[in-house]
């Protein structure tokens, strides 16, 4: 954190615009439980210099939105605005990259509105399926599985998580497999299907 704080005091440089030092500091603040400091850093992190770099600005707003999802703030609309601004910027410059990641953020944002979460998941999957991006598809399905499980839609969560798990295995992503296995074990436990739950819990423990 001290290294990043020192770097943050340096003058803005265009060639480092994509290296979002402030957002790395936000992540560290969150991990340290310093949520108020993280929130203040996010609020202050827009840079006027990025206005001429819409792609980098879009990435910055996306990372801010994802970071805010991990904070218990009283301003959820600011979180959504980060995702909405990202999509607007991507459309303005006719770039579809990162839109699926933005949709994943919106899936998690609408954790209490299953219909909206599903809608954004489908929008994201439509983008990833076009380019056969199985890894990002897995992220979208994992986010949806989490939302479904937290809303007691356990069988639907299992279906989404199983598909995500298949994509993670194709992408050789062990961490993704572990996260999916957790939600599968959780949902099977809630459905009182203990044998299935144990099988996925063993994957989670690996």
């Amino acid at each position: 954190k001290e290294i990043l704080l020192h770097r943050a005091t340096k003058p803005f440089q265009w060639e480092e615009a994509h290296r979002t030092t402030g957002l790395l500091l936000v992540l560290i603040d969150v991990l340290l439980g310093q949520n108020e400091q993280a929130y203040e850093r996010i609020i202050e992190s827009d840079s006027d210099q990025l206005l001429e770099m819409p792609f980098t600005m879009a990435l910055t707003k996306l990372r801010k939105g994802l970071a805010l999802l991990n904070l218990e703030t009283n301003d959820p609309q600011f979180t959504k605005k980060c995702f909405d601004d990202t999509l607007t910027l991507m459309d303005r410059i006719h770039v579809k990259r990162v839109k699926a990641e933005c949709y994943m953020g919106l899936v998690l944002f609408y954790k209490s509105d299953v219909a909206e979460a599903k809608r954004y998941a489908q929008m994201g999957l439509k983008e990833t399926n076009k380019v056969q991006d199985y890894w990002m598809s897995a992220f979208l399905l994992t986010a949806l599985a989490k939302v479904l499980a937290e809303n007691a839609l356990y069988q639907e969560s299992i279906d989404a998580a199983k598909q995500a798990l298949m994509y993670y295995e194709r992408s050789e992503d062990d961490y993704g497999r572990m996260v999916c296995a957790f939600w599968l074990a959780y949902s099977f436990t809630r459905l009182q299907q203990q044998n299935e739950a144990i099988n996925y819990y063993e994957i989670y423990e690996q």
Side-chain angles (χ1 to χ4, degrees):
K1 184 174 181 179
E2 291 179 3
I3 293 173
L4 289 170
L5 287 171
H6 175 69
R7 178 175 163 181
T9 63
K10 295 181 179 179
F12 179 86
Q13 296 185 29
W14 288 101
E15 63 270 19
E16 295 189 358
H18 66 291
R19 298 172 186 167
T20 47
T21 302
L23 293 178
L24 289 174
L25 286 167
V26 169
L27 174 61
I28 292 173
D29 289 338
V30 171
L31 293 174
L32 292 174
Q34 299 170 350
N35 287 0
E36 290 185 9
Q37 182 172 319
Y39 181 72
E40 290 302 318
R41 203 185 299 279
I42 288 172
I43 295 295
E44 298 169 358
S45 66
D46 270 336
S47 175
D48 291 337
Q49 293 95 330
L50 294 182
L51 293 176
E52 297 179 22
M53 303 177 67
F55 182 73
T56 302
M57 175 66 87
L59 287 177
T60 300
K61 288 184 176 294
L62 171 61
R63 303 297 180 234
K64 287 170 65 174
L66 293 173
L68 284 165
L69 287 174
N70 292 298
L71 302 178
E72 295 181 0
T73 72
N74 295 320
D75 190 8
Q77 290 309 309
F78 180 66
T79 305
K80 185 175 184 299
K81 187 176 184 302
C82 289
F83 296 128
D84 290 341
D85 287 349
T86 299
L87 292 172
T88 299
L89 286 165
M90 289 292 97
D91 287 337
R92 185 182 302 166
I93 59 177
H94 307 291
V95 174
K96 293 187 177 181
R97 285 179 57 197
V98 313
K99 287 183 72 173
E101 189 175 349
C102 191
Y103 289 134
M104 180 193 71
L106 287 165
V107 170
L108 295 170
F109 176 80
Y110 282 105
K111 61 184 180 180
S112 299
D113 187 338
V114 174
E116 279 295 279
K118 286 182 177 180
R119 186 170 74 87
Y120 281 111
Q122 289 304 314
M123 292 171 70
L125 290 169
K126 183 179 179 180
E127 296 292 337
T128 57
N129 289 338
K130 287 179 183 177
V131 294
Q132 296 185 324
D133 187 343
Y134 300 115
W135 189 61
M136 193 63 233
S137 293
F139 268 75
L140 282 158
L141 289 163
T142 303
L144 181 60
K146 177 181 184 294
V147 170
L148 291 169
E150 291 176 343
N151 283 275
L153 297 169
Y154 303 119
Q155 188 56 57
E156 290 187 55
S157 176
I158 288 168
D159 294 340
K162 280 186 174 180
Q163 189 175 358
L165 184 60
M166 179 182 67
Y167 287 148
Y168 281 129
E169 289 173 346
R170 182 177 297 187
S171 305
E172 298 182 353
D173 185 338
D174 290 335
Y175 178 76
R177 289 177 68 249
M178 181 189 72
V179 173
C180 266
F182 169 82
W183 288 110
L184 284 163
Y186 173 80
S187 292
F188 276 118
T189 297
R190 300 297 292 180
L191 291 175
Q192 298 184 345
Q193 298 181 29
Q194 298 302 326
N195 289 337
E196 292 285 351
I198 290 171
N199 288 338
Y200 286 108
Y201 183 74
E202 289 175 352
I203 294 175
Y204 172 71
E205 282 194 316
Q206 290 177 0

